[in-house]
Amino acid sequence: MKLLIAAAGLAGLAACTTATTPATAPEAPAMPAPDAASLSAIGIGVSDLAASHKFYTEVLGMQYLTKFNLSYMDEIVLRFPGGGSAVVLMEWTDGSDRTLGSNGIKLVVRSPDPAAMADAIKAAGGEIVRYPEAAPEVGGAIVGFAKDPDGYLLELLPLG
């Protein structure tokens, strides 16, 4: 199952690039065996842990897994109900300055209805950068973009 999720994720990422394909594309590496290394989670810094938790659970539909209170930060770990990699929301509590949302980070979210997800983000006061629609630059695939409360880019794609 993890291998199928990883393959679907790689296919989605490949479909979302705006770069042109070289005339002789290099051969893709073989997919790792199911018991090989995998990406378990990605952490993003947030300015308001409670607000981000609410956005990712109530607007995007992720589920709470656990919370960690460390000496320098608090973290909430979330994942979509169907599984896959988790998102760790991290709020620094040590007073250190952090640059959020402008670090070139993009979270790619697959949804049964990307347009409905975009509508939910907008209704919650979020920014829609590009409403999900066919994008000629990626062969007509449905692609949308929104931003979370800290300005992180969310790429909205259909499941299949």
Side-chain angles (χ1 to χ4, degrees), residues 93-159:
T93 57
D94 63 359
S96 61
D97 286 333
R98 301 291 174 166
T99 302
L100 306 175
S102 61
N103 296 325
I105 293 172
K106 170 177 76 170
L107 301 177
V108 179
V109 180
R110 291 201 170 265
S111 167
D113 189 347
M117 183 172 276
D119 292 340
I121 292 169
K122 185 175 182 178
E127 178 185 348
I128 304 303
V129 176
R130 179 183 191 273
Y131 198 77
E133 60 188 12
E137 62 268 27
V138 290
I142 303 295
V143 180
F145 293 98
K147 290 190 177 181
D148 83 351
D150 285 297
Y152 289 106
L153 189 64
L154 304 171
E155 185 168 358
L156 309 176
L157 302 175
L159 285 176

Side-chain angles (χ1 to χ4, degrees), residues 32-81:
D35 60 348
S38 66
L39 181 63
S40 173
I42 187 162
I44 59 172
V46 300
S47 59
D48 182 334
L49 192 60
S52 291
H53 179 211
K54 181 176 180 175
F55 175 83
Y56 280 88
T57 56
E58 293 180 13
V59 179
L60 296 187
M62 297 185 88
Q63 293 179 330
Y64 172 89
L65 295 178
T66 192
K67 181 175 183 176
F68 297 99
N69 297 105
L70 309 171
S71 62
Y72 57 95
M73 81 165 62
D74 293 335
E75 299 179 332
I76 293 178
V77 183
L78 308 170
R79 183 173 58 206
F80 281 106

